[in-house]
Amino acid sequence: MCLGYPGKIIDIKDHFAKVDFGDGVVRDNIIIALVDAKVGDYVIVHAGYAIQVMDEKEAMETIKLWKEYLEFVDKEVK
Amino acid sequence: MSEIDIKDILRLYRDPKIARRLAFKIRDIAKDLEDVLIMHVCGTHEWTITHYGIRSLLPDNVELRAGPGCPVCITPASDIDNIIKLGMEGVVVTVYGDMSRAKGGKGMSLEEARSRGADIRIVYGIQDAFMMAQRDPNHKYVFFGVGFDTTAPATAYMVKKGVPDNLSILSSYRYVPPAVGALMMAPDLAVDGIINPGHSSTVTGMKPYKEYFDRNKKPMVFAGFEPIDVLLAIYMILKQIETKEYKMENEYTRSVTWDGNVKAMETLLEVFLLSEGYWRGFGVVDKSGFVFRNTHKYVDARYIYGLSEPRDKEDFVAGARCADVIKGKIDPVECPLYMKECTPNYPRGPPMVSIEGTCKIWADHKVTGIIKCRF
């Protein structure tokens, strides 16, 4: 049950949110009380509640790191 | 950059070019290493690994095996029996889909109990059970709480908020870090490195793993669920083995932090305390079972209905090696029943039932033999 999907919050009512998972899948009634999230944030949803707000910057950073790293490796190989 | 959709970012985490280069790197580094056994403890990791054929990219001296990471599989058979008993007595049972097909110690599943008249309803989360109970105050409802630290906080939150009087919860929730600690120590496994579950660790944080890492230093990487995440985690573990510099590393920085989701953990521990937990197929692990605190006994189905504590040794179907698959001692194909007597249409044990069970994942991907390197 570690299945978790990233989705975008499109509406918040009280401690529950409507989340858009893309490809036409929208779910209502997702508990967001355990994270600090606002409309427009990407959250990782697991078993009906948001476990974390996804860190977009970190996701980009990691990709940059691989790219730099892999380029470095390629040079090394040459 | 803020206009970039996160879905586009995630697409990069499936980039075949990057995967290829990583696979080369893994092969390079593994050349100088002896046999390495890497274990992960998450059904979703197993899905990613099998679905994207990651094992076929690994050199033959690097083995990747699934440990106890399937919540349905480790749920005690005695608790399945308990919830069936409640269902047969007229309590409306609310449960996750997969869980309804797993058989208890008496050979019956909730689905079969339904065919005998029990009212079993499939829910997506506890809030569904909450609403059903609220709309139907004349019936008693019970929610079967299975899963890990990932799943349990939602239940804790709803309990704290207040649930309808006619709704109780049977908690079979388990806490992952001590189980990983036990796996690292298991003499019959000889694990060389661990990939930690990204979403469970998102909630718990990396911190609770430190005591187990300190006790038994082995490479430990917290990883995400895209194919590049897993390849990178494997590479990080091999690199640690090569340099003999063991550490707790975080690959899944976009979600896992050192402290985790503090709010979720606080809520969780306000409602539950950690006690001995029985993991079906794996055994008793200290401080790994979430039990309702005395202050919240009024929602505890175990207390309300006087249900037995799941402590006994449980049996699987004769000849089946479910326990060895759950623990990660063997791959599914080593079980004599796999895809013979035991198939997804006619599962004989929980690893073939759940979408997070190793056998079911392998069966769905038509894996019938040990996967060799094809790269």
Side-chain angles (χ1 to χ4, degrees):
Chain A
M1 236 149 270
C2 30
L3 227 70
Y5 296 101
K8 192 178 197 170
I9 298 184
I10 48 178
D11 189 24
I12 295 179
K13 262 191 203 124
D14 194 10
H15 282 155
F16 295 89
K18 193 183 251 187
V19 177
D20 181 0
F21 294 96
D23 302 325
V25 181
V26 176
R27 282 209 85 116
D28 211 347
N29 213 13
I30 302 286
I31 302 173
I32 50 152
L34 302 173
V35 291
D36 292 315
K38 55 185 186 309
V39 172
D41 280 349
Y42 273 89
V43 283
I44 298 171
V45 176
H46 165 88
Y49 86 106
I51 59 170
Q52 191 67 284
V53 178
M54 186 120 133
D55 197 331
E56 198 175 317
K57 240 174 74 194
E58 275 291 350
M60 259 335 263
E61 277 300 307
T62 312
I63 290 171
K64 253 204 255 159
L65 274 178
W66 306 335
K67 291 208 161 157
E68 273 168 28
Y69 172 76
L70 288 170
E71 261 152 39
F72 172 73
V73 170
D74 285 352
K75 274 182 205 148
E76 213 175 64
V77 172
K78 278 174 204 164
Chain B
M1 152 62 228
S2 62
E3 286 307 304
I4 294 180
D5 196 279
I6 205 141
K7 300 263 166 185
D8 295 326
I9 298 179
L10 288 183
R11 222 156 278 144
L12 290 170
Y13 282 80
R14 293 178 193 164
D15 186 342
K17 277 189 216 139
I18 294 175
R20 200 182 152 76
R21 287 151 91 181
L22 268 169
F24 271 121
K25 279 303 291 174
I26 287 171
R27 200 171 58 176
D28 270 0
I29 201 166
K31 266 185 209 148
D32 305 320
L33 300 178
E34 291 176 17
D35 287 356
V36 176
L37 173 63
I38 298 174
M39 190 166 269
H40 70 81
V41 283
C42 175
T44 312
H45 272 146
E46 184 52 37
W47 188 88
T48 301
I49 289 162
T50 306
H51 186 75
Y52 291 100
I54 286 179
R55 284 192 183 89
S56 68
L57 297 176
L58 300 181
D60 286 336
N61 63 331
V62 178
E63 196 185 340
L64 195 54
R65 205 177 297 144
C70 155
V72 170
C73 307
I74 61 100
T75 298
S78 58
D79 270 353
I80 300 176
D81 294 340
N82 277 332
I83 201 97
I84 288 173
K85 182 171 162 276
L86 293 185
M88 296 310 286
E89 285 169 2
V91 181
V92 182
V93 174
T94 54
V95 61
Y96 297 115
D98 284 36
M99 197 62 232
S100 69
R101 294 182 65 214
K103 288 180 199 292
K106 297 183 179 123
M108 207 207 282
S109 68
L110 278 165
E111 212 170 55
E112 285 155 346
R114 179 197 275 144
S115 68
R116 294 187 190 190
D119 192 348
I120 313 292
R121 308 206 190 151
I122 306 301
V123 292
Y124 175 61
I126 185 164
Q127 57 272 51
D128 297 344
F130 181 104
M131 282 195 295
M132 285 176 189
Q134 207 171 30
R135 276 191 220 124
D136 181 18
N138 295 328
H139 286 99
K140 286 196 157 60
Y141 281 72
V142 63
F143 175 71
F144 195 10
V146 298
F148 300 122
D149 19 63
T150 354
T151 319
T155 300
Y157 169 73
M158 292 304 273
V159 167
K160 242 184 87 179
K161 214 169 160 256
V163 296
D165 291 342
N166 57 334
L167 175 66
S168 64
I169 295 148
L170 178 61
S171 166
S172 294
Y173 291 121
R174 296 288 178 265
Y175 186 52
V176 176
V180 169
L183 265 183
M184 291 169 80
M185 298 286 276
D188 52 343
L189 290 177
V191 175
D192 298 300
I194 294 258
I195 297 177
N196 274 339
H199 288 144
S200 164
S201 314
T202 296
V203 175
T204 66
M206 294 163 74
K207 203 158 106 187
Y209 286 90
K210 183 154 190 313
E211 67 173 288
Y212 306 109
F213 174 78
D214 287 343
R215 183 173 75 182
N216 186 6
K217 285 205 164 58
K218 278 177 183 176
M220 197 185 247
V221 175
F222 296 77
F225 299 95
E226 298 299 334
I228 303 284
D229 287 321
V230 175
L231 282 170
L232 210 54
I234 295 166
Y235 176 75
M236 286 159 103
I237 287 175
L238 296 179
K239 189 86 193 163
Q240 287 190 32
I241 293 174
E242 186 198 38
T243 57
K244 295 193 175 63
E245 279 173 27
Y246 301 149
K247 54 192 165 194
M248 295 167 71
E249 265 184 300
N250 186 8
E251 183 279 329
Y252 200 24
T253 50
R254 61 192 188 276
S255 181
V256 173
T257 58
W258 182 256
D259 290 317
N261 184 336
V262 178
K263 220 192 250 183
M265 278 313 286
E266 274 174 6
T267 309
L268 193 49
L269 292 174
E270 217 179 299
V271 174
F272 295 102
L273 57 88
L274 284 167
S275 157
E276 243 178 21
Y278 178 80
W279 298 53
R280 188 181 193 179
F282 185 45
V284 173
V285 182
D286 201 23
K287 286 186 196 153
S288 72
F290 287 107
V291 179
F292 279 105
R293 286 184 184 274
N294 283 335
T295 45
H296 293 86
K297 285 283 184 223
Y298 60 93
V299 287
D300 185 359
R302 209 180 292 284
Y303 172 76
I304 296 169
Y305 299 105
L307 305 173
S308 65
E309 289 282 333
R311 283 285 180 277
D312 314 320
K313 196 180 170 304
E314 327 251 354
D315 289 320
F316 292 98
V317 171
R321 297 189 66 188
C322 301
D324 291 337
V325 170
I326 292 172
K327 191 173 181 188
K329 267 177 89 168
I330 61 165
D331 284 325
V333 291
E334 293 171 71
C335 172
L337 268 54
Y338 176 77
M339 291 313 274
K340 293 188 179 79
E341 283 162 62
C342 181
T343 60
N345 282 335
Y346 186 56
R348 306 300 303 272
M352 190 58 101
V353 169
S354 170
I355 48 164
E356 291 176 274
T358 314
C359 296
K360 167 94 164 112
I361 295 169
W362 283 45
D364 283 350
H365 288 90
K366 310 216 168 11
V367 183
T368 52
I370 298 284
I371 302 159
K372 292 276 174 198
C373 179
R374 290 193 211 143
F375 179 62

